[in-house]
Structure formats: C-alpha cells, structure tokens
Amino acid sequence: MDQMSSFRALLLAVLQICVFRVELTVAQKDPEFIGLPPIVKIQEDSQLNSLVLEFQVKTVDPDPQIEIFNINPPTTVFALPTIHQGTGTIHNVMLRLSSNASLDFETLRLYRLELRVSANNSTATQTLEVEVLDVNEPPQCDAVFQFPGAVVKIPNDLTVPIELYHVVASDPDINNTLNYRIHQVWPASARPQFMIDGTGTIYSNQGFGYQSSDKDFIVNVTVSDEQGASCRGKVRIEILPVLDHTLNFTVPSQSVTISEDIQVGSVVAIVKALGSDLRYEFVGNYPAYRISQDGIIRTTCELDLETNGDQQWSILMIRAFSTTHRSGTATVNVTVLDVNDNPPTCTPSVIVLCIPETISIYSELATLSCSDADITNNSVSYQLEPNAVSQFKFRLQGSQLQVNNTLDYDNAEIAHNNFQYKATIFVIDGGLPPLTTVVQVLVTVTPVNEFIPGFQQPVQFLVNEDAGRGTVIGMVRATDRDWEHDSIRYSITGADQGFSINPKTGELYLRRELDFETQPTHQFVIQAVDLNQDINPSVRKQTTQEVTINVQNVNDNPPECNPFYETEIYSTLSLTEEILSLTCWDIDGDRLTATLTNGGKNDRFRLNELQLFSKNAFSYNPEGIFDPIFFELRIEVTDGKFSTTVLVIIHVKPWTTTVPTTTTPTTTRKPRVQTVLSSYWAPEPWFVAVMTVTIALALIALGLLIWKILQCTSACGKPTQEMSQPLLQNTYVNFAEEAKPQNPRDTPQTFDGKAQDPVTGRNYLFNSITGERRWT
C-alpha cells in the first residue's frame, strides 16, 4: 500500500507540472490580437470618421491600452484606435478615419500601420496594411465656365469656320479620356450651327449677321469621363457689329521673333490704330498671349516648344474698336526661337552590370538610347571617360558600350575596388551652349573558376620515430591562380595512414606512434580543392599530390641478449682463447658495448667487445684451493642509452698439468618476449550521455516491474500450509576428513637461466622448461 501511495503522489506531481506548463504557455500569449487581418481595403471616397476595421484583443487585463506606434508613410489619416470592454477577456477595438482624413488613390495607395497593445506588463504587436481603392471621380471644369459661364464677344464679319471658345477641363483619375458634348443651345434653332471637337474647342460652321440674325447665343457643354461622371458649363456668345468705317493700324501686319525662354509677362509686340478712345482685343483664342486695352501684347505663361510645338509659329489677329462702333484688324506673326534648355535623356540612365571575367573582347555590354527634347539642334554625341582602374577596359562604338580588354578578376588591384570597374559616359547635345547628360557605368566582374590548384614544394618530410601524437610534421601548400589564391581546402585521400591534415592551413599532424624498424617510409595522397572561385559555388577544381614521410631512426629500443650463460673452463685457459661470446642484438642497429658490473673476483676475467676472456690469474694449491671455483658474472650490455644485464656462471676446474682446457658448450634459449599493450577506450561525450539516460530508464523500468511483481504477490499469495515433514532429514555428514593440499611440484625448483625485467629493471631467475621465475 505504501508503494501504491508513493506512485499516486508521483503521478499527481507530474500532472501539476504539466498543468503549470500549460498555464505558463497560455499566459505567454497574453495579450493577443484576434480577427486582425494582414490587410484591409477602403475606398478613397470614404467619409470622415468612417470605420476602417473592427477587431478584438484578448487579455485578462481589464484595462488594456492600444496604439498606432508607427505609420508608413507618416500621415494623419487615421484616428487613434478606441478599445471597448467586451465579454470576459475579449475587448473590441475600432479603427476609424480621422476628422481631417483625405484619401486619394492617385496620390497614395497603401498605408502600413504597426499596432501595439499593452496589458499585464506585456505587449503584442501586429502590422496592418490599409489599401486605398480607386473610385471614379468626376471631371473638373473651369470654375468660370461652370458658373456663371464664359462670355465670348465675336465680330460679325469673321469667316467660317469660326473658333469661338476652348473648354478647359481635367480628370483627377489616371489615364481617363474626356468626352466633350454640346447638350443644349439657345436659341434651339441655332443648334446645328455649333460643334465641339475632342479637345473641347467650340466652332461655328456658319457666319454671324448682326442685322439679320440673332446677336446672342448660349451653348451648354457637358464634359464626361469613360465611366459617365461629368461636369457642365456654358458659353455665352455675343455678336458685335462691324461698321463700314474701319479703323486703320499704323502697322497692319508685323512679324516678331522672341526666344523660348522669354519671361512671363514680357512684351511681344505693340499695335496701334489711328483714332481716339480705342480698345484692343484678340479676335481668336491665343492662350499664350494677352493684349491690353492700349494694344500691348505680352506672354501669359512660359513658352515651351518641346511641350507645345504649335507655339513655334503663331498668327495673332487683333481688333481695334471705338465707342463709335468703328473697328479694324491687324495681324502679328510671332516666331518663337528654340532655346537649348533640355539636356539629353538616356535609357538606361545608369548602366549597372554583372559579367563573368571570361567575357570576350568586343562583346556588347549595353546600348544607350538617348534623345534631346529640344526641337532644334537635338543631335547627340557620346564620350567615354574611364577612371584609373578601368583605363582601356571599355570602348564606345556609337552608343554601344563594349569590352575593350580582358576584365580580370584575379588580381589585388581589382579586389581592392570590390571587383568593380567604373566609367562615365557623357552624352552631349548639339545646342549652344551644349548640354550634357552623365551616364554612370558600374560593371561588377564575377569570378570564373579557370585554374587548377598546384602544390608547392616540399612534398617530403622528416619526422623522428619517437614523435608523439599531434606532432606537426610539416605543412603542404597549394596555390590557385584564381582569386583568392589561397582559398583551398586540404584532405587526405585513401585509407587512414595515421596522419591528419588541417583542411585550412595544410599542416600535417601525426595521429599514431611511428616505428622506424617496422616501416621507415609512409606515403599517402593529399587532395586540394579550391573554394568560392566561381559565382556558382558548385564549380570546383581539384588536384592531388603524393606526400612522403621519412621516419628518422631514434634509439628507442634496449639491446636484447641471451640472458643466461653457464660454462666450465680449466684454470689454465689461455689468455687469448675466448671463453664465450655474448649473443646480443639491437633492433635500432646501434653499436653495443659490454661491461663487467660484478662477479669478477680479484679481477679474474676481461671483456673484448662481446667476447669474454680469462686473465689466467687463478691460484690453486693441490693441497687446498685458494681461489673459488664458481664465478657468477653480471655483464651490462648497452647501446649508449638503454642497457640489459646478462648472467654468466663459470665453473673453474683447477688444473696443474698442461692438458688443454676445454669449454663446456652451453645451450642458450632465446627468451620469450611478451608484449602487453595497454589501451583504453574513450567514448564521445554524446555516447556517454545517451548510455547514461538509457541505463537510468532501464533501472526505472526494472524498479516498476519489481514493484508490480511484489504487488501481485501480496494480493494473490496463498496462505502458508503446515509443514508435513521437517526441513532437514536425519542425515549425517562427515566433515572430519580434510583434503590434503597438493604440492604443485614434487621436486625442488631448479632455475637454469637469469634475465632482467625490461619494465622494472629487476633481475630474475627462470626455468626454461617450466617457465617458473624468481626475483633475485
């Protein structure tokens, strides 16, 4: 039951943690926008203070604050959002136009609003785009034409067709065509006499008779757009009588020449009629000019022949009249001279190009299309001016820009200029003084992987065989004629040779121990791949190079010898006769020397290289032996750095005769060398983490299983029954007899050799048959 209670408590704690995380997650979304779309549309003719959008904000805060903290472009079209308490945590928000809002599709079509709501010491932001929809707006007619109406006075002697009036109207909408229509004429009988063209000019196709016909007409005109919206106005036409007694001008016809850049209001010409109390007026409609009552003709606006070519030649008809109804006409021919006031315009206005460095010479880069708006002297010429970097790199063939020299990407000079060539094209018109337009040229050269990397020497390296792991062996270097010249990555191909390479610098590292005696030379192949040498990163070039590592021999192995010798000699052995020769060798090939370290009592023996000789200095008395007959010699054999000890047992037979001394041959055994390799496995950190989690989960599962089994056992176990028989029978076991320990050998241990342990340096005796050892 205790286990069940613990399990329930653990389950309850887990559920509380989950509920806390859910509440935390919900709290993190407070406040939150609800129903706020990314874009809303509104017509440009929307009324002031009209509703733009209604949405909601969700928050537990009873008093959230909402604001527009950024509007792009800045404007006062929108009022501050208003927020109203809703149901529970839901609050309603209304966004309206301001009281001075003015939307115009033709001026600005999109607003970007950034809304921010603040509640519970937290904020939430969201962007809303307001798109202005186009609404057809009616044409706008001249105010005087609309009300009270324009008044035109016409003498009755003009010849048909007679130009009466030009209706001035415009449409706020873009690309909308206006239609002009006469919808009513008074008197109605004169309707066929009047007509209007597509530009709004009203004509009369009949002459006027002051005595025989009407002297006053009203023409009502409707100006409408393509959608049917319109404006209206009227023109009152008054017919003036022309008396037979005409007025004479001092100069009935004159020609004047003015410049296009004449100031507004400048005097163009002066007309003068003979008589007194005279007035002057234009017979026709000449918008660019006006005439005063005293006959002075002036300009009314800036003249621009490029916009209105009809202004180049104008024939002004002037009428003079008096209070006695006398009148006369004169003409003034006005010629406007063009002024070079427009520089050339070019397409494109700026030349920006990205081209590969391998583009061929004389290739076309761009063609300029230039023109001069002036009506005269509008020819253009081209001049190319390079900077110091782009000198001789480009040329102009007419208006066409071409490559004149190789555009190399792979040098420091162009790299210093961000791989860009700059030049300037001057487009000059033919006017006086000439006007010039500047076209900037910016050509960015993109890389092309043209060259294969090449390795530099050395490609052979020396390393001592005792070099440790991680030792820097040397550095390989490959260069690339493509810029940047050292953007290369290195790798070792093929099987693992125990070496590694820094992929960026080319440094070679040792990853395992070397052994000159086993393998004095190592060869492997290094691959060099260039990177980022082409605008397409997948285009790469590579090369390989075989590298040789020569291992330098190092004295790292002790000499090896037959560790034990035993022989018998006669005391009369000659000084020059060898007792025995040590069998020793050095894997490193070093020269070996031997030294008697002990056992040569009273200096009885000597060594020559590895040969042992007697000094024949034994002293024996037949009555009694003075010198020992058993000698145990320790000989140290060294290669200059390491050494090993050989044990030599010599039995000396006293001999008083000249019987030749013989040596007892000894049988030597080459010691068995056992190499113990110590290594350990160091797993990766991620593997340790995974194994720890796995073991923890396994222990938890095992604990749950044991708990389940115990629970089932306590719930389902049967009552214990009475034992029908005793647990132990009346069985007698005799433990009195004990096994006697057996001696591993029935005979005493006998050692026939002596050697030195290469690890501890201690000497030991060994039995070459049984392998038994004993430290000395």
Side-chain angles (χ1 to χ4, degrees):
M1 296 301 292
D2 293 338
Q3 294 176 350
M4 178 62 74
S5 300
S6 300
F7 177 73
R8 289 177 179 174
L10 177 61
L11 181 59
L12 180 60
V14 172
L15 290 176
Q16 289 176 348
I17 293 174
C18 294
V19 170
F20 173 75
R21 289 185 176 177
V22 170
E23 292 177 351
L24 181 61
T25 303
V26 172
Q28 288 175 350
K29 295 184 179 179
D30 188 352
E32 179 182 8
F33 288 95
I34 299 177
L36 180 61
I39 188 169
V40 64
K41 299 180 180 181
I42 186 172
Q43 293 185 342
E44 65 174 333
D45 61 347
S46 299
Q47 298 297 320
L48 301 178
N49 299 318
S50 60
L51 180 65
V52 178
L53 177 66
E54 182 175 359
F55 58 93
Q56 295 175 328
V57 171
K58 181 179 180 182
T59 177
V60 297
D61 192 336
D63 187 24
Q65 302 296 322
I66 189 167
E67 61 178 334
I68 304 174
F69 70 91
N70 187 30
I71 300 180
N72 187 22
T75 182
T76 59
V77 169
F78 302 97
L80 293 176
T82 58
I83 187 166
H84 304 282
Q85 177 68 40
T87 302
T89 60
I90 304 300
H91 304 266
N92 297 322
V93 181
M94 292 186 179
L95 178 64
R96 296 180 178 273
L97 295 179
S98 64
S99 58
N100 59 347
S102 177
L103 301 177
D104 188 4
F105 173 82
E106 289 74 26
T107 303
L108 190 59
R109 304 182 183 183
L110 185 67
Y111 297 92
R112 182 173 287 104
L113 284 67
E114 294 187 29
L115 303 175
R116 178 167 58 201
V117 59
S118 302
N120 284 336
N121 296 324
S122 180
T123 61
T125 61
Q126 190 162 333
T127 300
L128 173 67
E129 292 185 349
V130 180
E131 182 180 356
V132 181
L133 300 179
D134 188 24
V135 176
N136 184 48
E137 300 177 69
Q140 297 178 358
C141 296
D142 181 70
V144 176
F145 170 70
Q146 287 185 288
F147 182 82
V151 178
V152 178
K153 296 180 180 181
I154 301 297
N156 67 339
D157 59 347
L158 297 180
T159 58
V160 296
I162 303 172
E163 181 179 341
L164 301 175
Y165 182 77
H166 180 76
V167 178
V168 179
S170 62
D171 194 331
D173 296 312
I174 301 174
N175 299 326
N176 222 344
T177 302
L178 297 180
N179 179 43
Y180 300 88
R181 180 176 61 86
I182 298 176
H183 68 271
Q184 187 180 16
V185 176
W186 185 87
S189 58
R191 174 65 184 86
Q193 180 177 350
F194 298 97
M195 57 184 178
I196 189 169
D197 62 12
T199 64
T201 303
I202 301 175
Y203 296 90
S204 174
N205 57 12
Q206 298 178 14
F208 298 100
Y210 184 81
Q211 303 294 335
S212 59
S213 61
D214 296 316
K215 304 177 182 59
D216 199 0
F217 302 89
I218 297 177
V219 179
N220 294 280
V221 178
T222 300
V223 182
S224 59
D225 60 14
E226 297 175 353
Q227 286 73 31
S230 62
C231 64
R232 293 186 175 187
K234 62 182 179 180
V235 179
R236 182 172 182 175
I237 303 171
E238 297 180 359
I239 307 303
L240 300 178
V242 177
L243 302 177
D244 294 338
H245 302 285
T246 61
L247 293 174
N248 295 322
F249 282 82
T250 57
V251 182
S253 179
Q254 59 179 307
S255 298
V256 295
T257 301
I258 60 177
S259 177
E260 179 185 14
D261 59 351
I262 189 173
Q263 296 292 326
V264 177
S266 298
V267 176
V268 177
I270 299 176
V271 293
K272 188 69 175 178
L274 300 176
S276 60
D277 195 16
L278 301 178
R279 298 290 182 270
Y280 300 89
E281 64 181 2
F282 285 136
V283 176
N285 184 27
Y286 312 109
Y289 305 97
R290 62 181 173 85
I291 187 170
S292 62
Q293 295 294 326
D294 53 0
I296 300 176
I297 302 173
R298 301 175 183 272
T299 59
T300 60
C301 60
E302 293 182 354
L303 302 179
D304 189 358
L305 300 183
E306 291 75 33
T307 303
N308 189 355
D310 295 339
Q311 294 178 350
Q312 188 173 9
W313 297 283
S314 299
I315 299 176
L316 307 181
M317 182 173 291
I318 300 97
R319 186 173 70 89
F321 59 92
S322 65
T323 56
T324 59
H325 301 291
R326 296 182 60 195
S327 66
T329 59
T331 58
V332 176
N333 298 319
V334 181
T335 300
V336 180
L337 298 179
D338 183 35
V339 175
N340 190 23
D341 56 352
N342 293 285
T345 58
C346 295
T347 303
S349 58
V350 177
I351 299 176
V352 179
L353 300 171
C354 288
I355 58 174
E357 61 174 325
T358 54
I359 188 171
S360 57
I361 299 177
Y362 307 135
S363 296
E364 176 186 349
L365 295 178
T367 299
L368 287 175
S369 177
C370 300
S371 61
D372 190 347
D374 294 313
I375 62 174
T376 60
N377 300 320
N378 51 14
S379 62
V380 295
S381 59
Y382 304 87
Q383 292 181 6
L384 176 65
E385 182 175 321
N387 62 8
V389 178
S390 62
Q391 190 77 25
F392 308 116
K393 296 296 183 181
F394 308 106
R395 71 172 188 174
L396 275 175
Q397 290 294 103
S399 63
Q400 187 179 93
L401 181 66
Q402 296 179 349
V403 178
N404 191 52
N405 204 341
T406 302
L407 302 181
D408 189 11
Y409 184 92
D410 307 316
N411 62 74
E413 182 181 9
I414 185 63
H416 181 71
N417 288 276
N418 295 323
F419 307 100
Q420 292 178 342
Y421 292 97
K422 297 180 181 180
T424 304
I425 299 176
F426 296 98
V427 184
I428 308 169
D429 65 12
L432 291 176
L435 298 179
T436 301
T437 295
V438 176
V439 178
Q440 298 292 341
V441 178
L442 179 62
V443 177
T444 301
V445 180
T446 58
V448 176
N449 198 351
E450 303 175 84
F451 306 106
I452 299 175
F455 278 91
Q456 298 178 348
Q457 297 297 330
V459 291
Q460 291 189 2
F461 301 95
L462 300 177
V463 59
N464 292 333
E465 66 172 327
D466 60 350
R469 295 182 181 181
T471 300
V472 177
I473 300 173
M475 179 185 293
V476 295
R477 179 172 176 79
T479 58
D480 193 347
R481 291 166 61 190
D482 292 305
W483 186 270
E484 297 176 358
H485 304 308
D486 58 352
S487 182
I488 294 175
R489 292 296 179 268
Y490 303 91
S491 62
I492 297 177
T493 63
D496 185 6
Q497 297 290 328
F499 301 92
S500 62
I501 190 170
N502 187 316
K504 293 184 179 180
T505 64
E507 281 189 332
L508 288 170
Y509 301 97
L510 181 63
R511 293 176 51 197
R512 65 176 177 84
E513 295 180 352
L514 300 176
D515 189 1
F516 173 82
E517 291 73 26
T518 304
Q519 187 176 356
T521 301
H522 298 266
Q523 290 183 328
F524 50 88
V525 176
I526 294 178
Q527 176 178 272
V529 180
D530 56 15
L531 299 178
N532 304 320
Q533 305 289 36
D534 197 283
I535 193 172
N536 182 2
S538 63
V539 178
R540 299 179 179 179
K541 294 183 182 295
Q542 63 185 34
T543 186
T544 57
Q545 175 65 52
E546 185 178 71
V547 174
T548 300
I549 306 297
N550 294 319
V551 181
Q552 296 295 299
N553 187 21
V554 174
N555 186 5
D556 58 347
N557 294 289
E560 297 181 25
C561 299
N562 289 338
F564 180 74
Y565 297 85
E566 187 172 9
T567 185
E568 186 179 72
I569 63 172
Y570 287 95
S571 61
T572 57
L573 182 66
S574 173
L575 296 175
T576 60
E577 187 173 349
E578 176 187 307
I579 297 176
L580 57 84
S581 179
L582 301 180
T583 303
C584 299
W585 62 93
D586 190 347
I587 298 177
D588 298 318
D590 296 318
R591 181 176 178 273
L592 302 179
T593 59
T595 306
L596 274 169
T597 59
N598 70 325
K601 293 181 179 180
N602 300 319
D603 198 19
R604 299 293 193 271
F605 302 94
R606 66 180 178 88
L607 285 169
N608 183 10
E609 298 293 336
L610 299 180
Q611 287 80 36
L612 181 63
F613 294 90
S614 170
K615 291 186 177 181
N616 200 1
F618 301 105
S619 176
Y620 298 101
N621 188 335
E623 306 298 331
I625 300 175
F626 296 98
D627 284 340
I629 60 173
F630 174 82
F631 292 88
E632 181 181 301
L633 307 181
R634 286 187 175 86
I635 301 175
E636 183 182 28
V637 180
T638 179
D639 59 4
K641 181 177 180 182
F642 300 99
S643 63
T644 187
T645 302
V646 177
L647 178 62
V648 179
I649 303 298
I650 299 178
H651 301 275
V652 181
K653 288 185 177 183
W655 198 260
T656 57
T657 66
T658 57
V659 178
T661 302
T662 60
T663 60
T664 302
T666 59
T667 302
T668 60
R669 293 179 181 269
K670 188 174 181 179
R672 290 175 297 176
V673 179
Q674 182 178 3
T675 303
V676 179
L677 299 178
S678 297
S679 63
Y680 66 95
W681 176 52
E684 296 292 336
W686 66 265
F687 182 79
V688 174
V690 171
M691 288 301 297
T692 303
V693 173
T694 303
I695 293 172
L697 294 176
L699 292 176
I700 293 172
L702 181 59
L704 292 175
L705 179 60
I706 294 173
W707 174 78
K708 188 68 175 180
I709 293 172
L710 293 176
Q711 186 182 31
C712 292
T713 301
S714 61
C716 304
K718 295 181 179 180
T720 306
Q721 296 180 356
E722 292 285 338
M723 287 291 183
S724 60
Q725 294 181 359
L727 294 175
L728 296 177
Q729 303 293 328
N730 294 326
T731 304
Y732 175 75
V733 180
N734 184 11
F735 296 100
E737 184 178 357
E738 296 180 354
K740 295 182 179 180
Q742 296 180 355
N743 194 349
R745 290 181 179 85
D746 295 333
T747 60
Q749 295 181 354
T750 302
F751 300 98
D752 58 358
K754 187 174 183 180
Q756 184 182 46
D757 184 65
V759 177
T760 64
R762 294 180 59 187
N763 297 324
Y764 62 89
L765 299 178
F766 65 88
N767 189 312
S768 61
I769 298 176
T770 63
E772 292 292 328
R773 297 184 181 182
R774 186 181 71 189
W775 297 106
T776 62

